[in-house]
Amino acid sequence: MRASDHLPDRFNAAEWFVGRHVVEGRAANVAIVTDEAETTYGELDSLVRGFAAALEGAGIHRGDRIALILPDGLLLSVGFWGAIAAGAVAVPVNTLLKPEKLRAVLADCDPRLLVFDERLADGPALAGGGCACWERGEAGRRARGTPPASGYAATHRDGFAFFLYSSGTTGEPKGVVHLQHDAWVCCRTYGEHVLRIGPADRCFSVAKLFFAYGLGNAQYFPYDVGACAVLFPGRPTPEAVFEQVRRHRPTLFFGVPTAYAQLLAAMDRGASADFSGVRLCASAGEALPASVFEKWRERTGLPILDGIGSTEICHIFLSNRTGALRAGSSGKPVPGYEVRILEESGREARPGEIGDLLVRGDSTMAFYWNKHEATKRALEGDWIRTGDKYHVDPDGFYWQDGRSDDMLKVSGQWVSPVEVEAALIAHSAVLECAVVGEQDADGLVKPHAFVAPRPGAAATEDLADTLRAFAKDRLEPYKCPRWITFLPELPKTATGKIQRYVLRQSVSPR
């Protein structure tokens, strides 16, 4: 579907997802639930317009980037929609990134303002010249204390709305530029046809709002229909997730395969879980193993609608659906998206043949910010290359066959082997190393490091433990190697390049 066939030229996403509900008589509907409070659409609209007015008062202009390093909660929702309401560009940033990565993201998007939680980041130390900083208390006071703007900026439906940062296939931060209409398109496609979301729904997402997946799950899908988002700022441990589900009774539950496996393991240990109020479970981020699907349905009575999406396409474009389920597959194309599989010669792949997956849909990014060459490699006219290898079966279900490059997807997040290797090689005992993906007992991919120790370094379990701790000090937890295997030397080509495919062939599911 094309947004231009359905939306007027003047369209502001924040007005559609927030302000519209007040105009249409839903001001009293609850928009956000947290452990501390409930916020209605009327209150959210006032805060969003107050934040927009505060931005204008601070000299923020249309198109300026507003970076947000905040936990999930009311302030992140207000900051995100408030920036768009002002005609600025919202940039929610991954709160799990190390300071050097945060600094790289901010340098790339060059924000005029950074709104941050001082418990998560040292804003002034990260922000560059010309970037103002508001810590969470100040930002909240400004949103509440500034007379709200009279309305929403008269932006074009094809104007910039928000950036989402994805490591993509290079391991470098890449700013994915999304337009005012993109989230609206996702609601008309996945929201309507897969979730079938309505105003009585309550949405809880294990994936946080700085992810494209989480942003849809717990912001624009519920806000499209006047439903409620359950926002939780803490770490989504199984015990915390069970408590949120028990306390707030969501009807739509969004997880990632790793989370589902962890929840099942906690249930096996005797943890109490009550999903009786949930009508639909969804998954994305990485392929959901059939074994996890079957065990979850056995324990909860609920199937998991697994699918695949990407930051570049904003949300999910292939998905299983109620009445059209096949465990282990990514389902079928979501109405509104076209997919094709091309084998190496460029020919359309036949059923069963593996090829590169391409997608066409009007929620696809405009381009990568400051990444012209990467944009040209990804976009082919209306189509975008996902970087995934897929095949389709005779019944029209799509099956993932891995990545077209060496990137790993761990816990729903891209991991660059080069980055992990660089961290390990920094240790004095490591001569060289290579990192590949290996499936654990649940069929989920984790990093496996193959290490050639330096002469004199003993290849012992003590050294493996030391290297894990060394990596943990330098990398986000999900990037740290789950397994370390020592080899006298790594397999190489005649020109000295490490043969990762040989190492991949040596690993097997645990």
Side-chain angles (χ1 to χ4, degrees), residues 2 51 64-65 89 110 115 119 136 139 141 173 211 220 231 251 302 353 378 436 439 489 497 499:
R2 297 191 311 172
F51 190 85
D64 287 342
R65 273 77 66 199
V89 179
D110 190 22
V115 182
R119 298 168 297 183
R136 60 189 172 97
R141 287 191 294 272
F211 292 124
Y220 57 77
L231 299 183
T251 60
L302 294 164
E353 290 184 335
V436 301
Q439 291 183 354
E489 61 181 14
K497 293 183 179 179
Q499 295 173 310

Side-chain angles (χ1 to χ4, degrees), residues 33-98:
V33 170
T34 67
D35 287 348
E36 288 74 36
E38 293 184 350
T39 303
T40 66
Y41 277 96
E43 293 165 336
L44 181 60
D45 168 67
S46 180
L47 289 168
V48 164
R49 289 186 292 112
F51 190 85
L55 294 179
E56 183 178 355
I60 301 298
H61 300 102
R62 290 197 186 191
D64 287 342
R65 273 77 66 199
I66 309 300
L68 307 161
I69 305 178
L70 297 167
D72 284 14
L74 175 61
L75 183 58
L76 180 52
S77 186
V78 168
F80 180 83
W81 297 112
I84 297 171
V89 179
V91 188
V93 181
N94 187 338
T95 60
L96 302 177
L97 294 178
K98 298 289 186 181

Side-chain angles (χ1 to χ4, degrees), residues 48 93 135 154 170 218 285 304 359 410 429 435 443:
V48 164
V93 181
E135 57 86 23
T170 65
I304 302 171
V359 183
V410 181
V435 173

Side-chain angles (χ1 to χ4, degrees), residues 143-156:
R144 288 180 170 84
T146 307
S150 59
Y152 289 73
T155 51
H156 194 278

